[in-house]
Each structure stands twice: as C-alpha cells, then as structure tokens.
Amino acid sequence: MTRPIALITGASRGLGKHGALALAAKGVDLIITYRSQAAEAEAVVTQARALGVRAHALALDVGESATFAAFAEEVTQLLAREWQRTHFNFLVNNAGIGIHASFEQTTEQQFDTLLNIHLKGTFFLTQALLPLLADGGRILNLSTGLTRFAMPGYAAYAAMKGGVEVLTQYLAKELGPRGIAVNVLAPGAIETDFGGGVVRDNKGVNDFLASQTALGRVGQPDDIGGAIAALLSDDCRWITAQRIEASGGMFI
C-alpha cells in the first residue's frame, strides 16, 4: 500500500515537529520545512526515518510569498525523485511566530510581519501547492485559542489567525468538489519555546493558565502533535470546515 505524504511547514521545532513525528509514527511520509534551523530540521528527519518512513526537509520562509512558486517546483522535483509521485496528500500550515504587544504599542512593522507569515503566507502558499495536493487530500491550518478568548497583548496575532479561520471555511467550500477536507486546529496554551517560551518558563503564567483549564494543566507539544495526526487520519475523513480547539478546556 502506498503511504500518504504530509507537507508540514515550520516543523524543525515546537508543534510542527511533534505533529510530524506523530504522523511518522502512524506511517505517514514527510516533507518538512524550516526557515533557519537546518540542523534541527535534519534531526527531525532522522527521528522520522527511525520510525520507518521517508522524510526530507526543505528551506522555506512563509513570510516571503515571492518564493512560493520556486518552492512548489522544488517540492515537485522532490516528489518525483524520492517517491516517483506527482502529488502529496496532506498540507499542514503550521509555521508561525508570536509577537506580544498591546494594541496601543503594536507597530505597523509588527503587524505586517504577522500578516505576511500567518495570513498572506497561508493563503498564497496553499494556492501555490494546490496543484500538487492530491484529490481526496487534507489541509489543516493552525490557529489559536486566542480567536475565541481574548488576552491582552495578542490583538494583531489573533486577528491574523481569525483570518485563517475564515479562509479555512472558504477553502473547504471551494475545494470540496475535489474531495479535499480543510479544517483548523486551534491550540490553547502549550509548553513550547513559542513567544519566547513564556508558558513553559514563567511559573506564574503557567500556574494561572493551568488554573483556567478544565483539565488542570497547560498543554504539552505531544497533545497537539497527536491532534494533528488524528485530524489527518481516515477516521476524520467526514470532518471539514471545522474549528477544533485543543486547549484542555481553557476559559470555559
């Protein structure tokens, strides 16, 4: 049986890494991207291969949409060379950064950086890769719990993710005729290096968020990695145009 192939952006670290390895554990081949952490990306590739799948890493800056056509050609060549195939099956738009600033203090440069990476990047990278995505495939866009509940300092970041959530519904509608399911996964507070590692490293922040979560703790990267793998499994084939929050029940 031919194994599916997943392309995951920003998988050299954090949630992308854990999503990639969770998929590898389920027998999914991988194309992962990284912006600057080549050694870390190759370490993920090595771990994935140890699980028995094929895996490769490609450089990509999702904030530079002018490079997407060349990246799509690179993916085309990689698929032909390593898999003798013309299409991959799953696209996970995960790459991103966090910028914490009050609404009053958010600069236009910060706003544009978030816009280019999270919203424009997701829109136009998906567009560029769409001819390579197999009919019956899946797209999973990463969002945030901050589109449902508001915490000071994340107005620009959450606004971009809100745009991603609306885009997801439109993609589901327009790509439905090809049998492509499109969903959003919205993590809550997770112990990673995201946003400077504040949830992981600041005990006061960690304790407060844990106290506001129904399951009594903040999330671990594997919690989201497992959710990514689950949503791309055949068991979830009938789910599309949905926002699935994986937050342990934050602020309910």
Side-chain angles (χ1 to χ4, degrees):
M1 181 178 177
T2 302
R3 284 197 297 255
I5 303 169
L7 192 160
I8 308 176
T9 64
S12 63
R13 48 167 286 278
L15 303 185
K17 169 185 174 180
H18 287 266
L21 294 177
L23 286 166
K26 291 182 176 293
V28 177
D29 288 347
L30 299 173
I31 301 171
I32 68 169
T33 79
Y34 64 93
R35 184 173 66 87
S36 60
Q37 297 180 310
E40 289 85 347
E42 286 302 324
V44 176
V45 165
T46 298
Q47 288 179 265
R49 289 174 178 170
L51 293 169
V53 302
R54 295 185 185 185
H56 296 274
L58 298 175
L60 174 69
D61 185 343
V62 297
E64 296 290 341
S65 57
T67 68
F68 292 169
F71 176 74
E73 178 57 31
E74 192 174 7
V75 173
T76 299
Q77 294 176 9
L78 179 64
L79 288 169
R81 182 175 68 248
E82 299 296 335
W83 281 277
Q84 294 75 54
R85 289 162 65 175
T86 57
H87 294 85
F88 65 93
N89 306 93
F90 308 139
L91 172 60
V92 182
N93 287 306
N94 164 77
I97 64 167
I99 294 177
H100 183 273
S102 71
F103 174 78
E104 287 184 310
Q105 295 179 336
T106 298
T107 67
E108 188 171 356
Q109 181 179 10
Q110 289 173 321
F111 184 96
D112 286 346
T113 296
L114 290 167
L115 174 69
N116 289 337
I117 291 173
H118 290 286
L119 186 53
K120 185 178 180 180
T122 296
F123 190 108
F124 286 104
L125 181 62
T126 301
Q127 187 184 77
L129 293 175
L130 203 54
L132 305 179
L133 184 63
D135 289 353
R138 313 278 177 77
I139 299 172
L140 184 62
N141 297 322
L142 270 289
S143 181
T144 174
L146 293 163
T147 60
R148 178 177 63 82
F149 50 80
M151 296 184 67
Y154 294 101
Y157 173 77
M160 303 311 161
K161 290 301 194 180
V164 168
E165 293 186 6
V166 172
L167 173 63
T168 296
Q169 292 188 326
Y170 277 83
L171 288 174
K173 186 73 169 181
E174 294 195 26
L175 302 182
R178 289 182 53 189
I180 296 172
V182 190
N183 292 294
V184 163
L185 177 62
I190 310 293
E191 288 187 357
T192 69
D193 59 1
F194 190 79
V198 62
V199 174
R200 180 191 63 195
D201 301 331
N202 186 314
K203 187 177 186 304
V205 171
N206 192 297
D207 288 347
F208 168 73
L209 293 172
S211 74
Q212 300 300 314
T213 302
L215 294 179
R217 64 173 176 84
V218 298
Q220 299 297 320
D222 278 344
D223 294 326
I224 306 305
I228 290 171
L231 287 170
L232 295 177
S233 73
D234 197 51
D235 290 339
C236 291
R237 62 188 176 274
W238 196 234
I239 299 174
T240 193
Q242 300 304 306
R243 178 190 186 275
I244 296 94
E245 184 172 303
S247 68
M250 284 185 66
F251 298 116
I252 58 172

